[in-house]
Amino acid sequence: MELQQLDRYAKALIKEAGRKIRHSLTYELVIESKADANDLVTNMDKEIEQFFIEHIRKDYVGHAILGEEGFGDDLLSLNGYVWMLDPIDGTMNFIHQQRNFAISLGIFKDGIGVFGYIYDVMNDELYSAQKGHGAYLNDEPIPVLESTTISKAIIGMNASWVVPNRHIENEGLIRLVKDVRGIRSYGSAALELAYVSTGRIDAYMSMRLSPWDVAGGVVIAEEVGAVATNLKGQPLKFLGQDTFIVARKSLHDSLLANYITLK
Amino acid sequence: MELQQLDRYAKALIKEAGRKIRHSLTYELVIESKADANDLVTNMDKEIEQFFIEHIRKDYVGHAILGEEGFGDDLLSLNGYVWMLDPIDGTMNFIHQQRNFAISLGIFKDGIGVFGYIYDVMNDELYSAQKGHGAYLNDEPIPVLESTTISKAIIGMNASWVVPNRHIENEGLIRLVKDVRGIRSYGSAALELAYVSTGRIDAYMSMRLSPWDVAGGVVIAEEVGAVATNLKGQPLKFLGQDTFIVARKSLHDSLLANYITLK
């Protein structure tokens, strides 16, 4: 009962934050000068994070907050309730496109993801899940993912990991690009997690993500049977940056075993 | 006056085709079995092309049609009116995602693009332009693009061109990936042209596209000041496959001169 209240509360905050963002884009971007427009959007991350934090501190005393913009808490452990928030995941898209960004929120208890939310603000699409209770896109249940194969798979991965880089041996990813059906890159970890969860892409990986980028999405993805780990195959710690992969269960091991070699 | 009628006619056909597609996705995909679902979506390309062709042949006698699915005409020249149609651009997205695909249509007269349309079916967003009369997103004029620089640019490009391939020296594209602000890949040439036209990305390139993939988008992009050529910098011929680049004017020459070396 208490959990359902927390869920409703989080969803209401997210929707209200989304309205604030849409309002700013619709009205203020039109009247501001171009130079100010960049300030507006980069300030928006901070404003939205502060909006969340003010409410959470007031209504859920004792809950900790990990936020991308740094207005939350410095945590050494994930004891108790921790809200992991990226107020605008996909900031570059937000600035350049005014679409293809999301509010990403995971609510964890003692290190376990309890609720996950990804809100595609401009499409008004809220992906959500409670651990053990399935995942939803708005009010529709999201089906559990079926298995697939590498040759039929569409992978979300930025081209910057395919060129020589200091994180990963790119030869493996070059083979991957040739072996799969397609590669996509959308520029928002949260939305790519939503895409994996709904079967629109079959895996997503990145060499460097923070807890707030993936916390909400991982709860959702796991509810539909996807597997999320770091690129060594280890459980995610949700404290500090790490590599990241989420994939349909049938692809996860194969991707790690045959294509991923970290430097 | 006659041209305005042609414009209204084309828009009405596109909207009606979009309704057919949405209806199929909403109703039939739900009731069909999974195996049939793949047939349904791959048959949809053909059904939509035939819908266009039946109407055009009846109402615009003498107009030729170049269509991806092959129900149109085999043309050796672009004399007279030619409709260049991709009924579903981004078929892989259509099948896997049921979004991120578009109807792409260009109407050319004696080889010159007169009207261009890109219809993002699931978002109900119609990008359109008449040569010399500006471009629109639904009823809103699309502003002319401002200049930008490589280091601030977001480029639409599939990772498959960044790995060693038989079309292009990939070393140049590796440098490009490192020099730009971001790389995106959406899997629909038409939608990426729409994205360039609205400034959401700054350039898009591909090693192999057909006239129907780009005909509509090029009319739109040129109306907002973008430059579209093949990757040798030559004017597009719109007969047969070719390489392709569209970019803000300020980026086009620099991309070709500094990053593109065809094999």
Side-chain angles (χ1 to χ4, degrees):
Chain A
M1 197 55 206
E2 201 180 297
L3 278 180
Q4 297 324 305
Q5 197 175 359
L6 179 57
D7 182 37
R8 280 198 303 275
Y9 180 86
K11 282 177 175 162
L13 272 191
I14 289 166
K15 289 294 188 93
E16 178 61 25
R19 274 189 292 272
K20 282 173 183 289
I21 294 170
R22 283 195 300 269
H23 185 272
S24 297
L25 289 178
T26 316
Y27 293 91
E28 299 187 34
L29 268 180
V30 174
I31 58 168
E32 301 272 345
S33 77
K34 275 278 173 193
D36 293 335
N38 257 357
D39 293 339
L40 170 71
V41 289
T42 45
N43 286 334
M44 182 65 63
D45 303 61
K46 294 174 185 155
E47 189 181 319
I48 295 298
E49 180 161 317
Q50 284 170 324
F51 165 79
F52 272 92
I53 288 179
E54 279 170 23
H55 282 272
I56 297 165
R57 288 218 197 291
K58 179 165 61 70
D59 296 321
Y60 285 94
V61 175
H63 285 204
I65 302 156
L66 270 182
E68 164 152 54
E69 302 304 319
F71 299 110
D73 302 297
D74 285 326
L75 297 184
L76 297 174
S77 87
L78 295 180
N79 292 341
Y81 275 101
V82 181
W83 298 54
M84 303 186 193
L85 171 72
D86 190 348
I88 297 179
D89 186 77
T91 303
M92 199 194 301
N93 289 344
F94 182 65
I95 294 171
H96 286 249
Q97 308 188 343
Q98 292 89 53
R99 60 172 67 189
N100 298 326
F101 60 88
I103 297 172
S104 172
L105 173 65
I107 305 180
F108 280 52
K109 187 181 180 187
D110 298 331
I112 308 291
V114 180
F115 290 108
Y117 309 94
I118 300 166
Y119 186 42
D120 179 340
V121 173
M122 301 313 283
N123 282 327
D124 190 23
E125 289 181 331
L126 178 60
Y127 305 82
S128 67
Q130 178 182 356
K131 185 178 172 62
H133 292 76
Y136 290 80
L137 167 46
N138 291 332
D139 296 324
E140 293 291 318
I142 303 174
V144 169
L145 296 169
E146 299 184 3
S147 66
T148 189
T149 59
I150 292 284
S151 64
K152 289 182 180 169
I154 303 181
I155 310 288
M157 180 173 64
N158 200 277
S160 54
W161 311 126
V162 182
V163 311
N165 68 80
R166 60 197 172 87
H167 297 281
I168 192 165
E169 301 291 349
N170 70 317
E171 289 83 359
L173 297 183
I174 289 173
R175 272 192 297 110
L176 180 63
V177 169
K178 292 174 183 285
D179 288 352
V180 297
R181 181 168 286 174
I183 301 286
R184 299 285 182 274
S185 184
Y186 299 99
S188 157
L191 284 182
E192 300 196 64
L193 270 153
Y195 267 40
V196 170
S197 300
T198 49
R200 295 179 203 141
I201 59 177
D202 302 293
Y204 165 71
M205 65 181 84
S206 179
M207 300 310 129
R208 199 177 55 235
L209 290 175
S210 294
W212 44 78
D213 295 319
V214 299
V218 165
V219 177
I220 297 166
E222 289 183 344
E223 280 302 305
V224 295
V227 178
T229 63
N230 69 16
L231 283 172
K232 294 175 182 163
Q234 298 162 336
L236 300 164
K237 288 210 174 66
F238 298 103
L239 275 172
Q241 289 192 336
D242 201 352
T243 57
F244 181 76
I245 180 171
V246 60
R248 292 186 193 227
K249 195 178 169 63
S250 56
L251 288 185
H252 180 270
D253 292 354
S254 161
L255 285 169
L256 284 184
N258 301 321
Y259 299 99
I260 306 294
T261 309
L262 295 177
K263 282 184 176 169
Chain B
M1 197 55 204
E2 200 180 299
L3 278 180
Q4 296 323 305
Q5 197 175 357
L6 178 58
D7 182 36
R8 280 197 303 274
Y9 180 86
K11 282 177 175 162
L13 272 191
I14 289 166
K15 289 294 188 92
E16 178 61 24
R19 275 190 292 272
K20 284 173 182 288
I21 294 170
R22 284 194 300 270
H23 184 271
S24 296
L25 289 178
T26 316
Y27 294 92
E28 299 187 35
L29 267 181
V30 175
I31 58 167
E32 301 273 345
S33 77
K34 275 277 170 191
D36 292 337
N38 256 358
D39 293 340
L40 171 72
V41 290
T42 45
N43 286 335
M44 183 65 63
D45 303 62
K46 294 173 185 156
E47 188 181 320
I48 295 297
E49 180 160 317
Q50 284 169 324
F51 165 80
F52 272 92
I53 288 179
E54 279 170 23
H55 283 273
I56 297 165
R57 289 219 197 291
K58 179 165 62 68
D59 297 322
Y60 285 95
V61 175
H63 285 204
I65 301 157
L66 268 183
E68 164 152 56
E69 302 304 319
F71 300 109
D73 303 296
D74 285 326
L75 298 183
L76 297 174
S77 87
L78 295 180
N79 292 340
Y81 276 101
V82 181
W83 298 55
M84 302 187 193
L85 172 71
D86 191 348
I88 297 179
D89 186 79
T91 302
M92 199 194 300
N93 290 344
F94 181 65
I95 295 172
H96 286 250
Q97 307 188 342
Q98 291 89 54
R99 61 172 67 188
N100 298 327
F101 60 89
I103 298 172
S104 172
L105 174 65
I107 305 179
F108 280 52
K109 187 180 180 186
D110 298 330
I112 307 292
V114 180
F115 290 108
Y117 309 94
I118 299 166
Y119 186 42
D120 179 340
V121 173
M122 302 313 283
N123 282 328
D124 190 24
E125 290 182 331
L126 178 60
Y127 304 82
S128 67
Q130 178 181 356
K131 185 178 172 61
H133 292 76
Y136 290 80
L137 166 47
N138 291 331
D139 296 327
E140 293 292 318
I142 303 174
V144 169
L145 296 168
E146 301 185 1
S147 66
T148 188
T149 59
I150 293 284
S151 64
K152 289 182 179 170
I154 302 181
I155 310 289
M157 179 173 65
N158 199 278
S160 55
W161 311 126
V162 182
V163 310
N165 67 81
R166 61 198 172 85
H167 297 280
I168 193 165
E169 301 291 350
N170 70 317
E171 289 83 359
L173 297 185
I174 289 174
R175 272 192 296 111
L176 181 62
V177 168
K178 292 173 184 285
D179 287 353
V180 296
R181 181 168 289 176
I183 301 287
R184 297 286 183 274
S185 184
Y186 299 99
S188 157
L191 285 183
E192 301 196 63
L193 270 153
Y195 267 41
V196 170
S197 300
T198 48
R200 295 178 201 140
I201 59 177
D202 302 293
Y204 165 71
M205 64 181 86
S206 179
M207 301 309 130
R208 199 176 55 237
L209 289 174
S210 295
W212 43 79
D213 294 320
V214 299
V218 165
V219 177
I220 297 166
E222 289 182 345
E223 280 302 305
V224 295
V227 179
T229 64
N230 68 16
L231 284 172
K232 294 175 182 163
Q234 298 162 336
L236 299 164
K237 288 209 174 64
F238 299 102
L239 276 172
Q241 290 194 335
D242 202 351
T243 57
F244 182 76
I245 180 171
V246 59
R248 292 186 193 228
K249 196 178 169 62
S250 56
L251 289 186
H252 181 269
D253 292 353
S254 162
L255 285 169
L256 284 183
N258 301 322
Y259 298 98
I260 306 294
T261 310
L262 295 177
K263 282 185 177 171

